[in-house]
Amino acid sequence: MEHRPLKAETDMREHLVVIGNGMAGCRAVEELLARDPTRYRVTIFGAEPRVNYNRIMLSPVLAGEKCFEDIVINDAGWYADNGIALIAGDPVVAIDRETKTVTTRGGVSESYDKLLIATGSDPFIIPVPGKDLPGVIAFRDMDDVDTMLAAADAGGDAVVIGGGLLGLEAAHGLTLRGMKVTVIHLMPTLMERQLDEAAGWLLKNALEARGQTILTGADTAEIIGEGKVEGVKLKDGTLIPASLVVMAVGIRPSVALARDAGLAVGRGIQVDDHMVTSDPAVLAVGECVEHDGQVYGLVAPLWDMCRSLADGLVEKPTGYRGSVTSTKLKVSGIDVFSAGDFSGGDGCEDIVLRDASRGVYKRVIVKDDRIVGAVLYGDTADGGWYFDLLKKQEDVSELRDLLIFGHAFAAGGGAADPKTAVAALSDDAEICGCNGVTKGQVVSCIAKGAHSLDAVRGTCKASASCGSCTGLVENLLALTLGDDVQSGPKTMCKCTSFGHDDVRREIVAQGMRSIPEVMQKLHWTTPDGCSSCRPALNYYLLCALPGEYVDDQQSRFVNERLHANIQKDGTYSVVPRMWGGLTNPTELRAIADVVEKYNAPMVKVTGGQRLDIFGIKKEDLPAVWADLNAAGMVSGHAYGKALRTVKTCVGSEWCRFGTQDSTGLGVKLERMSWGSWMPHKFKIAVSGCPRNCAEATIKDFGVVCVDSGYELHVGGNGGIHVRATDLLCKVANEQEAMDYCAAFIQLYREEARYLERTAPWIERVGVDYVKARIIDDEAGREALRARFLYSQSFSQDDPWAQRAEGAEAEHHAPMARFIPQGEFA
Amino acid sequence: MTTAEWLDIGWVDQIPVRGSRTVQVEGGDDIAVFRTAEGKVFALLDRCPHKHGRLSQGIVHGGAVACPLHNWRISLATGEALGEDKGCTPTVPVKIDGGRVLICRASTLKAAA
Ligand SMILES: Cc1cc2nc3c(=O)[nH]c(=O)nc-3n(C[C@H](O)[C@H](O)[C@H](O)COP(=O)(O)OP(=O)(O)OC[C@H]3O[C@@H](n4cnc5c(N)ncnc54)[C@H](O)[C@@H]3O)c2cc1C
Ligand code: HEM
Ligand code: SF4
Ligand code: FES
């Protein structure tokens, strides 16, 4: 395709040559023509064999919503009408700045007075084996779309590598075209550069509901196939069949031409505020440039750049100052918007609104009374408004309380105070959507004596389900009662208006499966929780979904993450398990060796009849465990909210007072219950007679042997508030003692709040309640026991053995070592 | 890979999301390098302003880390204790280049000294 409307030899105007017939190159020419249509003679070189089109609309073309003709920006007529020569389908391969000429692959040469480089970006192809197989493509131009459409016609499986904007749009299009699509994403969250964890989770759910398979945290090892692509293999060994692989892992500014020509190139072609490169006769614009250290991958900055560029070309320079960008995902039916900086940080305040029933998540980040970022999911109507406030750096302190409800609400005149807004509602106005409760009903329920949030929830159910109307109910309480409002239930933490019990009940009732899901459905007010609620949620999910829930390591306290106790100097102490407090020469020798080998400064006999090795360095932990494992010892969980120790006395085996084999029972109890995660630490003891040398009556579960059987005691505690146990009951044999113990532990695991020991739990619910559940309800007891044993079938993996074998090894080692003045290793 | 001003300490992906890794500085305290849920990377001296807890071992949430010893919350961006607590941990400038994490050499030396 070639237009040469004017004879070059007779045209004496300055010659502007443009490399790149894409979005920025053509827009720059448009801007120039708008300012001065005759000043330059223009020639455009394009590698693609077609006219200028809107690249961002390739996604709708792939999805079948548009065709190529619909997305052409400038057709052949435009080039002709404006006297522009277009040389398409023949890429420029060299720039000679001495002679001011460019040369194409086909051998065409043109000399220039001004050269504009607008070569865009190259897709990044991850360097894995098989990347060059036929059927492996990028998503950048119309040819790629044609390849995808041809593959889709044949049907079958497609894999998209990369869960960013581009990858998800490709996956969406291919799904609509009938392919079975798997998205492989390296990071735990989709579109992590644009979305936070909460929004990423919603997006993943929505895409899965449309039939896509989304694998996050998945790393591609190789692409396999003989002569053409047949599948993708992940580093964990998973094999996914595919007849088409789309790589959408990122783009790199296309700078090769500029670099070869000796222009200053960093991440992109370096330009000043007027888009001039290190050579005054050469300009550059679009994704290929680096301005003020920034490179861009979206169109909005191009428009700003092209304006400044054209202003400079007609000698009325204005200057480009960088761009703030926003993103929308173009997947029909899924609304996602993100802008600015949402990483939080100092002085940043998050305003979060979640509406589970509508699938909405909105988060606006405010700093120094200015919006600095926004992430919207499900309802993006106000994206433009937030983005505008952000770009203009407007002071939003006046709007603060209503900001998150959006433009319509915040701009709603005098009702700038939420309480006034609530007061203005009619009695018929619905307050609680989940339970269909009106303002009138809430007010009358308050008038009848429900003087706290809890009481309102208990009587008319308002705000008792998803909790999103909690603020409204609180305002109604304040309006109706003034100062007489009783403080509500103790919430789990400042991230939620729910208490522990409510959260737990909802997790089970709604079958929730992950921390982000709980936060979304229960309207958490922070994006990713805090150090109080994250460990609690992790535990509740773990307890509710044994064998299914994948533990979130980053939601555990350090001791549980590293399986050792952090000490105040940052070293760790290590306690191997000694069943029932028994040990033997092999174990003792191994412990002695570890103490010497790793220079542990102290070993102590603990109150729980174990040996504690102090002063182990974090990076030595895996080696220490390996040595202890080799001698047959496993983790003592002395660091965990878990079963700690079973303390025993010597019992009938040795002691003249012993009535039963207390040591043997202790060992059995420990074998049954080790490794289980609990709301808090849990200690057991077994004494062989009422002399109670193992101090069983200050343990969470204590057994005191008597001639006629076993007395079972619960809810004892040493520590600051010493509490003697309550007698639960007496049983006749060892098996019953074990069964009751299992049932009791499970009741505690399922019903106590996170970080609540058995003593305060029993004080709270009453020992009679525990008796009713464990003694009176035989079937219930049996079910509890069964649930405990089922859950134990997944939890008795020695965490030390896994890590000694290399699991998470890297988290024990420093990332790098720096030796000042010397080498850096 | 050491340049005069910036120390290249490894790939961003080596730091767990909502977690951290450390850089050992010979003759000084470690530097803790954090990665938030949103993928931002920060570096601070691995020492809590309260009683020198290892911040690298804490729970990362939002733009802060909770110290593992007594749960002070420390801002990752400024090193300041948040809320009622008062104190500050030295920070080290970080930049990301092509997926690599670079930390400022001078600040590293100053902080770790
Ligand atoms: C599928 C898809 C969806 C997108 N969606 C969005 C979106 O929703 N929102 C958004 O803001 N952005 C989106 N983008 C990004 C947007 O398209 C780019 O930011 C924009 O196209 C960049 O413009 P450019 O002119 O710099 O590069 P391009 O548009 O890529 O133009 C560069 C042109 O130069 C040509 N070229 C390169 N080297 C040579 C050479 N040596 N000789 C001759 N010609 C050469 C190339 O063939 C190409 O045609 C999307 C991109 C894709 C691929
Ligand atoms: C005359 C009777 C007693 C005899 C023969 C006796 C024997 C023992 C023995 C053998 C042990 C070691 C148990 C072990 O760790 O394996 C022990 C420990 C202990 N005994 Fe006794 N005891 C007697 C009475 C008592 C009484 C009356 C009390 C309490 C009032 C008591 C409290 C303890 C305590 C606290 C321990 C330590 C448990 C521990 O932490 O390891 N003993 N006793
Ligand atoms: S509790 Fe009874 S059986 Fe056990 S050691 Fe003490 S006296 Fe002997
Ligand atoms: S040392 Fe960090 S909170 Fe005490």
Side-chain angles (χ1 to χ4, degrees):
Chain A
M1 192 183 297
E2 198 166 321
H3 305 268
R4 299 208 154 220
L6 278 176
K7 281 209 195 71
E9 308 79 62
T10 59
D11 190 335
M12 298 309 288
R13 295 177 295 165
E14 282 183 272
H15 189 195
L16 172 68
V17 170
V18 181
I19 308 177
N21 186 35
M23 299 197 67
C26 289
R27 178 60 164 243
V29 172
E30 285 176 14
E31 291 280 354
L32 173 65
L33 295 176
R35 283 164 181 71
D36 187 343
T38 56
R39 174 162 181 166
Y40 290 91
R41 174 163 75 90
V42 180
T43 303
I44 302 179
F45 288 91
E48 294 183 61
R50 50 182 74 86
V51 293
N52 166 232
Y53 61 93
N54 189 344
R55 191 172 309 286
I56 79 174
M57 301 308 275
L58 287 176
S59 302
V61 172
L62 179 66
E65 291 155 6
K66 295 232 176 325
C67 64
F68 181 73
E69 284 64 39
D70 298 329
I71 71 167
V72 167
I73 300 177
N74 292 307
D75 60 13
W78 175 79
Y79 296 87
D81 294 348
N82 291 289
I84 299 166
L86 169 66
I87 297 147
D90 189 10
V92 172
V93 291
I95 302 171
D96 185 340
R97 294 198 288 130
E98 287 283 297
T99 60
K100 291 194 169 183
T101 48
V102 299
T103 310
T104 67
R105 182 183 293 156
V108 179
S109 276
E110 276 290 345
S111 61
Y112 63 83
D113 297 301
K114 290 267 185 220
L115 178 65
L116 172 59
I117 306 178
T119 45
S121 302
D122 300 318
F124 182 66
I125 301 294
I126 48 174
V128 290
K131 67 178 169 44
D132 299 321
L133 283 171
V136 181
I137 59 160
F139 185 17
R140 182 72 195 174
D141 59 28
M142 193 57 209
D143 293 341
D144 296 326
V145 174
D146 286 336
T147 310
M148 286 194 247
L149 293 181
D153 276 344
D157 302 288
V159 166
V160 175
I161 304 180
L165 192 87
L166 219 54
L168 296 181
E169 292 185 3
H172 172 65
L174 291 170
T175 307
L176 289 185
R177 298 280 183 172
M179 293 193 89
K180 192 173 163 308
V181 180
T182 303
V183 178
I184 297 175
H185 190 54
L186 185 62
M187 301 296 294
T189 304
L190 289 177
M191 287 177 67
E192 77 285 346
R193 289 190 11 242
Q194 291 88 19
L195 299 183
D196 58 15
E197 193 188 7
W201 176 83
L202 286 164
L203 178 59
K204 180 166 184 268
N205 270 8
L207 295 174
E208 283 169 343
R210 293 171 173 219
Q212 297 178 19
T213 305
I214 312 270
L215 303 177
T216 48
D219 201 354
T220 306
E222 64 172 307
I223 298 170
I224 52 168
E226 292 285 332
K228 63 173 177 43
V229 61
E230 284 163 18
V232 175
K233 195 160 160 193
L234 302 182
K235 290 221 170 117
D236 68 6
T238 313
L239 188 72
I240 306 152
S243 53
L244 176 73
V245 172
V246 181
M247 280 225 201
V249 293
I251 52 172
R252 298 281 180 275
S254 170
V255 297
L257 264 184
R259 182 179 285 130
D260 292 348
L263 294 169
V265 169
R267 282 198 292 156
I269 305 168
Q270 287 166 339
V271 293
D272 66 9
D273 291 353
H274 311 288
M275 314 315 290
V276 179
T277 67
S278 56
D279 177 342
V282 182
L283 304 107
V285 71
E287 278 184 351
C288 60
V289 309
E290 173 184 326
H291 172 265
D292 199 14
Q294 286 288 322
V295 297
Y296 297 95
L298 293 168
V299 292
L302 314 183
W303 310 152
D304 300 336
M305 289 180 192
C306 288
R307 269 193 292 275
S308 310
L309 174 113
D311 289 338
L313 279 178
V314 298
E315 280 152 43
K316 289 189 182 125
T318 45
Y320 172 66
R321 302 262 179 279
S323 305
V324 193
T325 54
S326 68
T327 322
K328 272 191 108 152
L329 180 69
K330 301 190 299 300
V331 169
S332 43
I334 297 182
D335 295 323
V336 180
F337 174 90
S338 132
D341 182 1
F342 49 87
S343 59
D346 215 49
C348 284
E349 195 190 347
D350 282 309
I351 311 174
V352 176
L353 176 89
R354 302 182 191 241
D355 185 335
S357 54
R358 288 198 300 140
V360 168
Y361 170 76
K362 294 173 152 194
R363 174 174 167 218
V364 176
I365 302 94
V366 176
K367 184 175 184 177
D368 299 333
D369 295 329
R370 307 276 187 284
I371 295 183
V372 296
V375 181
L376 308 178
Y377 184 93
D379 175 359
T380 52
D382 286 306
W385 183 58
Y386 293 131
F387 188 48
D388 199 44
L389 292 172
L390 186 159
K391 278 195 297 191
K392 291 187 182 142
Q393 286 292 290
E394 243 165 78
D395 186 328
V396 294
S397 50
E398 298 282 297
L399 304 171
R400 169 68 183 74
D401 287 345
L402 298 165
L403 193 59
I404 198 73
F405 299 109
H407 192 194
F409 214 104
D417 163 25
K419 223 191 266 182
T420 322
V422 173
L425 294 173
S426 72
D427 273 357
D428 301 337
E430 189 170 85
I431 297 290
C432 172
C434 298
N435 297 303
V437 189
T438 62
K439 175 182 165 189
Q441 287 168 305
V442 176
V443 171
S444 88
C445 144
I446 295 170
K448 285 188 199 131
H451 288 185
S452 69
L453 185 61
D454 214 14
V456 172
R457 286 178 176 172
T459 38
C460 70
K461 291 275 183 294
S463 82
S465 296
C466 81
S468 64
C469 59
T470 304
L472 293 175
V473 174
E474 280 170 345
N475 280 321
L476 284 175
L477 278 161
L479 279 172
T480 320
L481 299 172
D483 291 339
D484 295 336
V485 183
Q486 290 157 8
S487 58
K490 209 168 136 25
T491 63
M492 211 162 140
C493 64
K494 62 179 184 352
C495 307
T496 173
S497 61
F498 284 113
H500 281 266
D501 299 341
D502 302 319
V503 171
R504 244 189 142 169
R505 185 193 59 236
E506 291 305 318
I507 286 177
V508 175
Q510 299 189 36
M512 299 183 201
R513 313 189 70 83
S514 71
I515 292 178
E517 181 176 9
V518 176
M519 290 182 175
Q520 174 65 17
K521 294 206 166 140
L522 298 181
H523 299 256
W524 242 241
T525 59
T526 49
D528 61 354
C530 70
S531 56
S532 302
C533 57
R534 286 235 312 266
L537 294 180
N538 191 52
Y539 169 70
Y540 292 153
L541 287 160
L542 196 74
C543 181
L545 301 165
E548 290 177 58
Y549 177 68
V550 183
D551 210 321
D552 179 21
Q553 288 296 304
Q554 305 308 339
S555 295
R556 283 193 176 265
F557 292 117
V558 56
N559 291 350
E560 295 186 351
R561 221 177 314 130
L562 291 184
H563 305 278
N565 289 58
I566 192 166
Q567 302 299 334
K568 67 177 191 183
D569 66 349
T571 64
Y572 290 81
S573 81
V574 168
V575 184
R577 199 166 278 291
M578 288 177 171
W579 308 98
L582 302 181
T583 184
N584 59 43
T586 317
E587 292 182 353
L588 290 171
R589 217 170 269 126
I591 290 172
D593 287 344
V594 161
V595 171
E596 285 182 352
K597 188 163 155 194
Y598 301 96
N599 292 318
M602 184 170 91
V603 189
K604 183 180 181 309
V605 180
T606 71
Q609 299 179 336
R610 305 296 139 98
L611 289 172
D612 195 345
I613 311 166
F614 283 84
I616 301 290
K617 290 186 217 49
K618 179 175 149 194
E619 54 270 31
D620 285 338
L621 287 171
V624 167
W625 297 333
D627 288 2
L628 295 172
N629 278 161
M633 281 179 280
V634 298
S635 164
H637 291 87
Y639 45 77
K641 316 274 174 255
L643 175 80
R644 292 287 179 88
T645 62
V646 179
K647 185 169 170 177
T648 64
C649 75
V650 289
S652 58
E653 195 82 345
W654 299 91
C655 177
R656 61 198 163 106
F657 296 104
T659 59
Q660 313 281 356
D661 179 11
S662 51
T663 327
L665 176 57
V667 172
K668 283 181 199 148
L669 286 171
E670 189 156 357
R671 293 257 179 217
M672 173 180 80
S673 46
W674 77 282
S676 62
W677 296 108
M678 313 238 195
H680 209 307
K681 57 190 175 188
F682 194 96
K683 299 177 178 178
I684 298 180
V686 189
S687 287
C689 82
R691 285 166 194 79
N692 191 15
C693 297
E695 296 166 317
T697 49
I698 53 163
K699 298 293 180 238
D700 296 282
F701 187 86
V703 182
V704 176
C705 303
V706 290
D707 282 325
S708 55
Y710 302 79
E711 285 173 12
L712 308 181
H713 299 259
V714 294
N717 201 347
I720 304 179
H721 303 290
V722 180
R723 180 180 195 272
T725 43
D726 292 307
L727 177 64
L728 184 67
C729 62
K730 202 178 112 185
V731 296
N733 58 45
E734 271 195 354
Q735 189 56 50
E736 280 184 320
M738 306 259 300
D739 293 350
Y740 279 68
C741 177
F744 176 76
I745 292 178
Q746 188 64 10
L747 187 66
Y748 169 62
R749 295 183 75 230
E750 289 176 4
E751 299 195 356
R753 296 169 187 162
Y754 190 66
L755 295 187
E756 187 174 43
R757 289 286 301 266
T758 55
W761 170 58
I762 288 183
E763 303 252 298
R764 180 162 67 80
V765 301
V767 71
D768 289 338
Y769 171 76
V770 177
K771 283 183 177 167
R773 294 287 304 269
I774 306 278
I775 303 164
D776 307 343
D777 178 2
E778 198 177 321
R781 173 180 72 237
E782 190 41 46
L784 280 166
R785 183 187 82 98
R787 285 205 293 280
F788 181 63
L789 297 184
Y790 176 71
S791 137
Q792 281 299 83
S793 68
F794 302 101
S795 61
Q796 294 193 326
D797 276 337
D798 178 24
W800 287 0
Q802 295 162 12
R803 280 155 193 85
E805 279 167 16
E808 297 165 18
E810 67 284 6
H811 297 166
H812 294 279
M815 190 172 174
R817 287 191 175 80
F818 172 45
I819 304 167
Q821 279 107 36
E823 252 328 283
F824 185 55
Chain B
M1 289 237 289
T2 307
T3 60
E5 287 159 51
W6 295 91
L7 304 171
D8 180 334
I9 59 169
W11 295 103
V12 175
D13 297 352
Q14 288 174 272
I15 314 167
V17 174
R18 283 186 277 103
S20 97
R21 297 288 300 274
T22 57
V23 175
Q24 277 185 349
V25 181
E26 180 140 309
D29 284 313
D30 287 1
I31 303 296
V33 189
F34 297 90
R35 182 164 170 213
T36 63
E38 275 96 11
K40 282 249 171 159
V41 177
F42 298 97
L44 275 72
L45 188 66
D46 194 10
R47 200 177 66 194
C48 178
H50 179 218
K51 293 194 173 170
H52 300 183
R54 295 283 186 118
L55 297 177
S56 59
Q57 310 301 308
I59 291 186
V60 178
H61 54 98
V65 58
C67 176
L69 292 193
H70 317 95
N71 211 26
W72 277 30
R73 284 186 311 122
I74 310 297
S75 156
L76 295 175
T78 65
E80 299 272 357
L82 300 171
E84 298 299 295
D85 301 316
K86 293 278 166 286
C88 188
T89 292
T91 56
V92 175
V94 176
K95 64 178 190 183
I96 307 296
D97 191 354
R100 301 290 293 183
V101 184
L102 308 174
I103 63 174
C104 172
R105 181 195 186 94
S107 312
T108 300
L109 284 173
K110 206 167 126 225

